[in-house]
Amino acid sequence: MRRRAADYRRPVRRRFSHWICALLGLFVLAVLVLFIVHHNQHEDRVEQTVNEEDSRMEQVVHENLNFTEEILSATSYSRQLAEQMTLAKAYVIIAKEHNNLHLAWELSSKIRSCQLLLSKAAMRGQAITLEEAEPIISSLSSLIYKAQDAHYDIATTIVTMKSHIQALEERANAATVQSTVFGQLVAEAFPKSLHCLIVKLSADWLRRPSLKDLANEQRNSPRLADNNLYHFCIFSDNVLATSVVVNSTISNADHPKQIVFHVVTNGVSYGAMQAWFLSNDFKGSTVEVQNIEEFSWLNASYAPIIKQLLDVDSRAYYFGENQDLKVESKLQNPKYISLLNHLRFYIPEIYPQLEKIVFLDDDVVVQKDLTPLFSLDLHGNVNGAVETCLESFHRYYKYLNFSNPVISSKFDPQACGWAFGMNVLDLIAWRKANVTARYHHWQEQNADRTLWKLGTLPAGLLAFYGLTEPLDRRWHVLGLGYDLNIDNRLIESAAVVHFNGNMKPWLKLAIGRYKPLWERYINLSHPYLQDCVTS
């Protein structure tokens, strides 16, 4: 009986253990399911986070990619493409020279594909990928190898490219010279309107004897030598420009009747200049006009500049058809050997009775009263001028040939340059220092143009060396004939603004921003100006 009872209890225990195992299995399965679900959810969240991060990174890359830096990076595909394209362009030239037109066409086609890809990358702001770059890099490499295999080796490439670079440099230099020459021609050429004005005024001078009587009367005026008055001088053949200088000066003067202008012009413009200033009222100021051709003392035995004008080599240099292309064309401009341009060095001879005078160029506009200049203390110096050490041309070494011992032994290359165009001149000190003789000396030394090339300023820097008093920069602001970015505040504060450069205010190529400064002093109601200028 006991055995049967034991036998009965054994299956019960077996069934119980089976249930326990089943429950444990279900529990483990549930745990596994929960783990898997949780793991999948976690992976989804991680993937979503990664995707969002990638999206943000892509956006940052898109926004912050600097394509210039990208194309310069040694590891970027953009740089590889750019370098291959440059090499391919060289082989295009060589292939064409060797009449291998098919290879040249293939290279050109791949170059265009490369340019297109680089352009797209720059526009989208994203780096070029391997998938994008690989086909072009592969095909370009193949074509470059093909070119090299066709005997376009590196030595041939270097020699060919050097010759092309030299040819391109020569073409660029020729284009630069041609451009400068055209600009210079435009700057030198009188507009038709000014020719028209000169013709009308010259006709007046010839047919109106009363104008000659007035001129003779004025020539004997005691005002011309009165040192109690304020004397200004201008040397020009441009009637309208000279009129603007005179008109702007007297318009801004506190006492215009105390102003005397001394104008010197050439024989062609003399009648027109006389007719203009004798026919118009300038607020009671006196305007004297002289003809340079009547200065008998200005001859070859006295003035080196006259001797140079008569010299065959000098005339060929400045006026000849076969000018040296190695010399900057503006340095061969005939205006730099013009007598009117050099007349500034003879002011004491022209006005022997005057003690102080202000020299003005014909391309300036006066905006403030200039009479206080006459009371400035020049501390014994001859020339009061605004220094140009802050301008594009600053110091003596910019103007003079310091490799020549004649210059280097006597002058400081770091000495500060100054501007011609508005200069206060103490003629007593001038005569005492014999500045004109100093000018003659240096002009003779430079007969072969080895000490300097450009015009009258270098000669002035030498002649007035140690004799120049620096003035406040507000007296004279330069650059309106070439600099588009002069500060308006500087212009407004200036007593004189100077249109130095090719873009003169009476030309069509004048800088529009500055032209009204000049035009405000033209009397457009004058019938001749209406006929000639405004029409």
Side-chain angles (χ1 to χ4, degrees):
M1 291 294 291
R2 288 177 187 171
R3 185 177 296 172
R4 286 178 184 172
D7 292 340
Y8 177 78
R9 286 195 294 270
R10 263 189 217 112
V12 172
R13 283 199 296 272
R14 282 196 202 99
R15 285 195 294 273
F16 181 75
S17 63
H18 288 161
W19 278 105
I20 293 297
C21 289
L23 288 171
L24 286 171
L26 288 171
F27 177 76
V28 170
L29 182 62
V31 169
L32 284 172
V33 169
L34 287 171
F35 175 78
I36 290 168
V37 170
H38 177 75
H39 179 71
N40 288 341
Q41 288 176 344
H42 176 71
E43 282 191 338
D44 289 341
R45 286 196 297 270
V46 169
E47 185 178 358
Q48 184 180 357
T49 303
V50 169
N51 289 338
E52 290 175 355
E53 187 66 25
D54 286 345
S55 177
R56 284 196 296 271
M57 287 299 292
E58 287 178 4
Q59 187 177 0
V60 169
V61 168
H62 181 78
E63 290 176 354
N64 296 336
L65 179 71
N66 185 323
F67 196 73
T68 302
E69 293 177 0
E70 171 72 11
I71 208 165
L72 293 175
S73 171
T75 59
S76 72
Y77 294 115
S78 299
R79 177 165 174 171
Q80 291 182 48
L81 286 166
E83 288 177 347
Q84 275 197 315
M85 185 171 63
T86 302
L87 188 57
K89 286 180 178 179
Y91 281 120
V92 167
I93 295 170
I94 298 170
K96 285 181 178 178
E97 284 191 349
H98 289 78
N99 207 31
N100 193 342
L101 301 182
H102 181 70
L103 177 59
W105 180 86
E106 286 184 300
L107 286 165
S108 298
S109 177
K110 291 302 176 186
I111 288 169
R112 285 193 294 273
S113 299
C114 185
Q115 289 171 332
L116 182 62
L117 179 56
L118 289 169
S119 176
K120 285 180 178 177
M123 290 185 68
R124 75 190 182 200
Q126 291 180 328
I128 294 174
T129 64
L130 174 61
E131 291 76 18
E132 293 174 311
E134 196 274 332
I136 297 177
I137 290 174
S138 178
S139 55
L140 267 178
S141 297
S142 176
L143 286 171
I144 289 168
Y145 177 79
K146 185 178 177 181
Q148 290 172 340
D149 194 46
H151 307 295
Y152 305 149
D153 54 64
I154 196 67
T156 304
T157 304
I158 290 171
V159 171
T160 305
M161 294 314 296
K162 275 186 175 179
S163 65
H164 275 278
I165 289 169
Q166 185 177 359
L168 286 171
E169 285 179 348
E170 289 175 358
R171 286 169 61 188
N173 289 337
T176 302
V177 168
Q178 192 176 45
S179 174
T180 307
V181 168
F182 289 157
Q184 203 69 51
L185 286 172
V186 172
E188 292 168 26
F190 260 33
K192 289 182 179 179
S193 58
L194 295 185
H195 279 296
C196 166
L197 183 62
I198 288 175
V199 168
K200 286 180 176 290
L201 291 170
S202 297
D204 276 358
W205 174 252
L206 292 172
R207 69 169 179 254
R208 292 173 57 188
S210 59
L211 292 177
K212 294 184 177 64
D213 293 337
L214 279 173
N216 290 329
E217 182 182 334
Q218 191 178 77
R219 188 173 297 174
N220 299 316
S221 171
R223 289 172 58 86
L224 301 179
D226 187 349
N227 283 297
N228 293 314
L229 301 177
Y230 303 110
H231 295 266
F232 297 83
C233 62
I234 311 170
F235 308 134
S236 173
D237 59 357
N238 188 326
V239 178
L240 195 59
T242 304
S243 177
V244 167
V245 178
V246 174
N247 195 24
S248 63
T249 303
I250 60 101
S251 295
N252 291 289
D254 293 337
H255 304 287
K257 291 182 180 179
Q258 296 181 23
I259 288 177
V260 179
F261 269 96
H262 304 268
V263 178
V264 180
T265 190
N266 57 25
V268 174
S269 302
Y270 175 72
M273 201 78 80
Q274 283 282 28
W276 179 262
F277 286 107
L278 291 170
S279 302
N280 292 282
D281 176 45
F282 291 92
K283 296 187 177 180
S285 62
T286 299
V287 182
E288 174 199 29
V289 179
Q290 292 180 274
N291 186 349
I292 192 173
E293 294 176 10
E294 295 178 1
F295 296 164
S296 57
W297 51 268
L298 193 62
N299 51 56
S301 62
Y302 177 62
I305 188 65
I306 305 287
K307 196 183 301 181
Q308 289 178 22
L309 273 171
L310 299 174
D311 179 71
V312 175
D313 291 337
S314 292
R315 291 191 64 82
Y317 180 82
Y318 287 103
F319 302 99
E321 294 179 1
N322 300 317
Q323 293 184 336
D324 187 357
L325 293 179
K326 293 180 181 178
V327 179
E328 191 177 349
S329 63
K330 74 174 183 179
L331 305 185
Q332 296 176 294
N333 185 347
K335 81 172 186 178
Y336 294 122
I337 204 170
S338 159
L339 275 183
L340 283 176
N341 206 39
H342 284 259
L343 207 56
R344 64 195 69 191
F345 295 106
Y346 298 99
I347 290 174
E349 282 88 338
I350 303 171
Y351 312 110
Q353 294 175 297
L354 295 184
E355 297 174 355
K356 187 172 278 189
I357 199 167
V358 171
F359 166 77
L360 296 173
D361 264 335
D362 66 357
D363 55 353
V364 306
V365 172
V366 177
Q367 301 187 129
K368 299 185 187 304
D369 185 14
L370 295 187
T371 56
L373 287 169
F374 291 84
S375 58
L376 289 178
D377 185 359
L378 298 183
H379 301 98
N381 288 310
V382 177
N383 172 36
V386 168
E387 292 183 330
T388 55
C389 291
L390 299 178
E391 305 294 339
S392 54
F393 295 100
H394 340 286
R395 302 184 185 276
Y396 271 46
Y397 72 85
K398 288 282 188 178
Y399 304 94
L400 304 168
N401 178 17
F402 274 87
S403 65
N404 191 311
V406 174
I407 295 293
S408 59
S409 63
K410 298 182 186 307
F411 301 96
D412 176 10
Q414 294 298 326
C416 194
W418 45 266
F420 262 138
M422 197 290 298
N423 304 79
V424 190
L425 301 169
D426 185 331
L427 301 185
I428 296 174
W430 181 314
R431 296 180 185 103
K432 185 178 178 180
N434 207 356
V435 173
T436 301
R438 294 172 66 165
Y439 158 71
H440 282 171
H441 167 76
W442 290 112
Q443 196 69 34
E444 288 170 349
Q445 291 289 311
N446 194 46
D448 57 358
R449 297 174 297 279
T450 57
L451 302 186
W452 73 85
K453 300 290 184 185
L454 182 63
T456 54
L457 181 56
L461 295 176
L462 299 178
F464 292 102
Y465 186 69
L467 299 173
T468 297
E469 179 72 15
L471 303 181
D472 188 302
R473 287 173 57 80
R474 289 172 294 181
W475 280 113
H476 186 190
V477 169
L478 297 102
L480 279 75
Y482 67 88
D483 188 350
L484 282 72
N485 299 308
I486 303 174
D487 193 318
N488 281 330
R489 292 169 297 181
L490 190 60
I491 293 174
E492 290 168 5
S493 67
V496 173
V497 290
H498 196 165
F499 288 82
N500 57 311
N502 283 342
M503 299 179 183
K504 301 300 184 189
W506 53 85
L507 299 175
K508 287 185 178 179
L509 51 75
I511 299 172
R513 178 183 158 211
Y514 308 135
K515 195 166 183 176
L517 299 172
W518 187 79
E519 289 178 331
R520 73 176 60 166
Y521 294 105
I522 299 174
N523 179 16
L524 294 176
S525 64
H526 193 285
Y528 288 176
L529 290 179
Q530 286 187 339
D531 289 346
C532 295
V533 178
T534 57
S535 61

